[in-house]
Amino acid sequence: MSQHAAELCTLLVDNIYGQLTSRVFSALLRLGRLPFSSIKQHTDLQSRQLQHALAVLIQQHLVLHFTRPDDDVTFYEADWEAAYSLIRCGKVRNLVDETVGPGGGEVVSNLLLLGHTRIADLLNSYLAVSTTSQKKGSHEEVATNSQREKKELPKGTNSLDRPRGSQKLTAEMKDLRINLRSLLDAGLVTSVRLEHFRSSADNYMEAEKLVKSQLFPMGLKGNKDQARLGDRVRSKLREWRDDVPERLSTNGTAHKVKLPANNANPTGVESDQKSNLESSHFPASDDEDEKELKTPLDEDLVVRVNQEKCQVAWRNKRLVQLVERKVGRTTSLVYEELLRRLSEQLPRCHDDLARPLGEDDEPVEGPSISSFELFKTLDPEIDLSSSVGTAPEIEIDKKNADHATKSRKRRRLNGNEAIAVGEVGSDEDEESDEGGDIPEVDPDSEDEDPDGDYDETVVIRKARIRDINTHLELLAEDSHHFVQHTVYTNHDRWTVNFPALVNHLKNLVIDNIISSRWDQTAARVIGILRDKGKLDERQIANAALAPQKHIRVLLAEMHEVGYLELQEVPRDNTRAPGRTFFLWYFDLDRCTRVILEDLYKCLARLLQRCGSERDGIKGLLEKSERTDVVGMEDKYLSQQEHQELKRWRDTEERLLVQVERLDDLVAILRDF
């Protein structure tokens, strides 16, 4: 771990949880894995203080621990990636507000504050708060309500028959359960297992020991057993990471919820129901209430916020923004819905436990979707037809158009994945739809009803699917290939090559940084080396159409900061400089690491500056936060104090906006 990343994580822990926890966390970052006695020695803390700090850090998943079974010694290890995620708490809340609603955002805020908690404890805390606030309000208005009841109740009606606060509490708890169910279905909240508190190395060691004792009690023999052991260990690790424990229903019977291989649907709810729930921004409906009753929550389940799923949503958002800038607004809406549907099957951006591919293995295809499946959930209010222009028939080169169409059809018949998509509507989605009310049809066929008249619904549906195909073809034919067309069992489907698109986002970020630090010529040099590979100085100058002296200065400066690499290739054994080729090349991974270090350093400096500005008016901030001053600032604060508070808030806002922008770059370069 780098020095600047450790400094940044320590600042985040100190700002949120205090100096005691940051002291322990910093020691674990500097010294690595330590037992309790060593931590106590290096931090000079009492046992009680150290236990309290470790309890807070473990509760927030900032420290991982593992107890050796032979001597019962517990080792503690800092998780710096979890500490860095503290900077994204506000983004997580905004994401949940957009996906589930304000009620879900409030639940996620409490989960971020608690680290992890049992569902029953969370429900009880909400119930206690609601009951306390209701009692307070009822004591204040009890006399008024009594008089109103006597006047408003009709004859023969008892005041006890009127809806009471208990029914209001029941509705609030019902909404809370629906919000929790929505968060679980969306994958934004996940269950917690014991293995989540251990490091990846400890989990691998335990899984390997377990697999060896079960399958290889006599030891390993040959490479086949080694490969089999690796597959079984990865399978066990995926089970520990993704599996959901048994859910207990309200009647006391236990039922196991089967999970897909990628943990896309952790609660056993059908994908159509889940997609409809995720796309809804309205209060809970009767269907959601019915679903909540059919699949009750297991109140003994321990849950926490799923940061990996949030990263998937943020990646989709960046790709949609790129499409909107490059293609158009309407096409970006179609792309947004496609990414949302595909993300239901993607629990994380990277799967570290995926089986490594061999030389003869084919790459595993990602999730795909048909145009008809996209049509079922796309917002019908989006005008797709008028957003794509059509050329007049006299201006179309029919000869070249027919040749391109035949070439595309030939590639599709050969079973190859075509990037450029032709007339996909002719055999689009011919399979029947099992979950919909309307059977899937060919959008280009001329189906008529028995009376010989066109069915208006079918015609509108086919036109809509044809418009969706047009926008998907625009995305597929773009130079960045935002979608790819695949043929699966003689049916057309669409998929997204996320690694290639993420590399394009990285290159955009790097080009912007280089052009702002030097000039456009430097960014052009990086693009040339990215496309051509290793070149010497003269070749770069000729390709960049720039003087060789200027190119030499740029190459030296970018090599000094680590953005470019240099390779020496001697012509003979003398290795004289005059008899040596100096080849420049661009290494994306190396450049990404260098930029990440600069971003960590910049983020740490921004947080330090924010803390310094806060310490300068510490007394004024404490005064403004007093309970007797809040809401009555004009009475207790002078004009000068008002100006100081305004200046501080403006400064804090500017600093935090810069922190958010830099974190967006970190997400692109590291997490996506």
Side-chain angles (χ1 to χ4, degrees):
M1 183 183 178
S2 65
Q3 173 185 355
H4 300 302
E7 182 182 7
L8 173 61
C9 294
T10 303
L11 285 172
L12 290 171
V13 175
D14 181 70
N15 289 338
I16 298 177
Y17 302 108
Q19 185 178 2
L20 178 62
T21 53
S22 65
R23 187 173 179 179
V24 176
F25 187 80
S26 176
L28 290 175
L29 283 180
R30 288 185 292 103
L31 303 174
R33 186 186 183 97
L34 293 175
F36 186 87
S37 57
S38 299
I39 300 174
K40 181 180 178 181
Q41 177 182 356
H42 289 288
T43 57
D44 295 331
L45 294 175
Q46 299 178 1
S47 298
R48 184 177 179 181
Q49 294 175 325
L50 182 56
Q51 289 173 357
H52 176 73
L54 287 175
V56 173
L57 293 172
I58 292 173
Q59 177 73 21
Q60 301 296 331
H61 297 265
L62 301 176
V63 166
L64 308 173
H65 60 90
F66 176 74
T67 302
R68 290 191 307 201
D70 50 354
D71 54 2
D72 292 336
V73 176
T74 302
F75 289 86
Y76 301 91
E77 182 178 353
D79 187 357
W80 73 274
E81 292 183 352
Y84 179 84
S85 64
L86 296 174
I87 206 172
R88 298 173 175 170
C89 292
K91 289 184 178 180
V92 174
R93 172 64 189 266
N94 293 335
L95 173 64
V96 176
D97 286 341
E98 296 173 358
T99 306
V100 180
E106 183 180 355
V107 173
V108 165
S109 297
N110 291 325
L111 287 178
L112 290 172
L113 182 63
L114 297 172
H116 66 269
T117 184
R118 206 163 56 102
I119 290 181
D121 297 335
L122 186 63
L123 295 174
N124 291 335
S125 62
Y126 270 83
L127 181 61
V129 172
S130 300
T131 305
T132 303
S133 59
Q134 180 189 350
K135 287 182 178 179
K136 182 178 179 180
S138 63
H139 284 307
E140 293 176 353
E141 301 181 1
V142 61
T144 306
N145 291 339
S146 299
Q147 295 295 330
R148 187 180 301 139
E149 287 176 5
K150 293 180 181 179
K151 294 180 180 180
E152 295 179 356
L153 286 177
K155 294 182 179 180
T157 303
N158 194 337
S159 61
L160 296 178
D161 297 334
R162 191 168 76 69
R164 288 294 183 181
S166 59
Q167 297 183 3
K168 183 178 179 181
L169 286 178
T170 303
E172 292 178 357
M173 298 305 296
K174 191 174 184 179
D175 293 340
L176 175 60
R177 288 176 176 272
I178 292 175
N179 288 328
L180 284 171
R181 172 63 62 191
S182 303
L183 292 171
L184 286 170
D185 293 343
L188 299 173
V189 169
T190 184
S191 61
V192 179
R193 296 174 60 94
L194 178 62
E195 290 78 15
H196 295 162
F197 295 92
R198 300 196 301 228
S199 64
S200 58
D202 292 329
N203 282 330
Y204 189 90
M205 181 180 62
E206 289 296 308
E208 186 178 35
K209 185 188 301 183
L210 181 61
V211 171
K212 282 184 177 180
S213 62
Q214 292 178 351
L215 300 180
F216 306 99
M218 305 302 295
L220 300 176
K221 298 179 182 179
N223 295 331
K224 290 186 178 180
D225 285 351
Q226 287 286 353
R228 186 184 174 195
L229 173 65
D231 293 340
R232 292 302 180 93
V233 168
R234 283 189 293 271
S235 177
K236 177 60 68 174
L237 291 175
R238 283 194 296 269
E239 177 186 347
W240 288 348
R241 182 191 65 185
D242 300 336
D243 193 18
V244 177
E246 284 189 350
R247 308 286 178 84
L248 296 178
S249 60
T250 54
N251 56 9
T253 60
H255 61 281
K256 190 83 170 182
V257 178
K258 285 190 175 182
L259 289 177
N262 50 17
N263 194 23
N265 190 1
T267 56
V269 181
E270 294 296 331
S271 60
D272 288 341
Q273 294 176 342
K274 181 175 71 171
S275 63
N276 293 335
L277 180 62
E278 288 183 4
S279 62
S280 175
H281 298 278
F282 301 100
S285 61
D286 296 336
D287 295 338
E288 294 173 352
D289 297 346
E290 184 179 356
K291 182 180 68 175
E292 164 62 22
L293 296 176
K294 288 182 179 179
T295 55
L297 288 173
D298 177 15
E299 296 188 359
D300 292 330
L301 189 67
V302 181
V303 295
R304 65 168 179 174
V305 176
N306 188 3
Q307 295 282 349
E308 293 179 334
K309 190 66 176 181
C310 295
Q311 294 172 7
V312 175
W314 292 326
R315 181 181 65 181
N316 294 347
K317 187 175 181 180
R318 298 292 297 191
L319 292 176
V320 170
Q321 292 174 355
L322 180 61
V323 169
E324 184 176 358
R325 292 197 306 266
K326 203 170 189 304
V327 183
R329 169 65 177 171
T330 305
T331 307
S332 69
L333 295 177
V334 178
Y335 194 55
E336 181 180 11
E337 180 63 20
L338 182 139
L339 291 178
R340 189 190 65 80
R341 292 296 303 274
L342 294 180
S343 298
E344 295 174 0
Q345 308 174 50
L346 294 174
R348 56 189 56 83
C349 293
H350 303 285
D351 190 1
D352 299 332
L353 302 178
R355 183 178 181 271
L357 297 178
E359 297 180 356
D360 300 333
D361 296 337
E362 296 182 357
V364 180
E365 296 183 359
S368 61
I369 187 175
S370 67
S371 298
F372 187 78
E373 294 172 348
L374 187 60
F375 157 76
K376 291 189 297 183
T377 57
L378 185 63
D379 187 2
E381 299 296 331
I382 300 176
D383 186 7
L384 301 179
S385 58
S386 63
S387 59
V388 178
T390 57
E393 187 175 356
I394 60 175
E395 297 182 6
I396 298 177
D397 189 351
K398 294 184 178 181
K399 183 178 179 180
N400 292 332
D402 294 340
H403 176 72
T405 302
K406 292 178 181 179
S407 300
R408 286 193 290 264
K409 288 183 177 180
R410 191 180 303 113
R411 287 195 299 268
R412 290 165 60 186
L413 290 176
N414 293 333
N416 297 326
E417 293 184 2
I419 299 293
V421 182
E423 299 293 336
V424 299
S426 59
D427 42 358
E428 170 73 16
D429 299 317
E430 297 178 357
E431 70 270 22
S432 60
D433 175 38
E434 299 177 356
D437 298 332
I438 304 175
E440 187 170 351
V441 297
D442 183 358
D444 288 340
S445 63
E446 297 181 356
D447 296 337
E448 298 181 0
D449 60 5
D451 298 332
D453 298 329
Y454 286 102
D455 187 353
E456 184 179 357
T457 304
V458 175
V459 172
I460 295 175
R461 174 160 32 90
K462 289 191 294 185
R464 184 75 171 177
I465 294 177
R466 191 178 297 110
D467 293 336
I468 291 175
N469 287 334
T470 302
H471 287 275
L472 293 177
E473 289 171 9
L474 288 175
L475 294 170
E477 293 171 355
D478 188 84
S479 59
H480 301 306
H481 308 305
F482 291 106
V483 299
Q484 291 183 351
H485 173 254
T486 61
V487 179
Y488 179 74
T489 62
N490 297 328
H491 297 293
D492 296 318
R493 299 185 69 84
W494 304 89
T495 186
V496 176
N497 186 2
F498 286 105
L501 292 177
V502 169
N503 283 336
H504 175 62
L505 289 177
K506 290 181 180 179
N507 291 329
L508 288 178
V509 170
I510 293 173
D511 291 344
N512 291 335
I513 292 175
I514 290 177
S515 60
S516 62
R517 188 166 181 175
W518 286 281
D519 53 16
Q520 289 295 332
T521 304
R524 188 160 63 249
V525 168
I526 293 295
I528 292 170
L529 293 176
R530 186 188 300 126
D531 296 336
K532 303 295 183 180
K534 298 180 180 180
L535 299 175
D536 62 8
E537 183 179 298
R538 180 175 299 177
Q539 292 173 325
I540 296 173
N542 293 334
L545 303 177
Q548 190 170 350
K549 292 183 179 180
H550 182 51
I551 293 297
R552 185 182 299 117
V553 174
L554 290 178
L555 292 174
E557 292 179 354
M558 287 190 288
H559 176 64
E560 184 179 0
V561 298
Y563 290 174
L564 289 181
E565 301 296 328
L566 181 63
Q567 181 180 0
E568 300 179 6
V569 181
R571 299 182 184 179
D572 51 29
N573 294 331
T574 60
R575 306 185 71 88
R579 303 286 299 172
T580 302
F581 292 109
F582 295 94
L583 302 179
W584 299 90
Y585 65 96
F586 174 74
D587 188 350
L588 178 60
D589 295 334
R590 160 83 173 167
C591 184
T592 299
R593 290 194 297 269
V594 173
I595 294 178
L596 280 175
E597 287 300 312
D598 295 339
L599 291 175
Y600 293 147
K601 181 178 180 180
C602 188
L603 285 169
R605 298 297 176 265
L606 286 172
L607 292 179
Q608 288 176 347
R609 178 59 184 270
C610 190
S612 176
E613 293 286 341
R614 187 186 301 109
D615 292 339
I617 57 170
K618 184 178 180 180
L620 179 58
L621 290 177
E622 292 178 351
K623 179 181 178 181
S624 63
E625 293 173 358
R626 282 165 34 188
T627 56
D628 58 332
V629 177
V630 174
M632 303 181 65
E633 288 83 357
D634 295 337
K635 179 179 179 181
Y636 292 102
L637 298 181
S638 62
Q639 185 67 24
Q640 183 179 0
E641 290 176 335
H642 275 290
Q643 295 177 356
E644 288 292 328
L645 277 178
K646 185 178 183 302
R647 184 194 64 81
W648 150 247
R649 287 166 182 163
D650 293 341
T651 303
E652 183 185 36
E653 182 180 1
R654 288 195 296 268
L655 292 174
L656 294 182
V657 167
Q658 292 300 322
V659 168
E660 183 178 358
R661 291 175 178 175
L662 294 178
D663 176 61
D664 291 339
L665 302 182
V666 172
I668 294 175
L669 297 176
R670 189 193 68 181
D671 299 330
F672 293 172

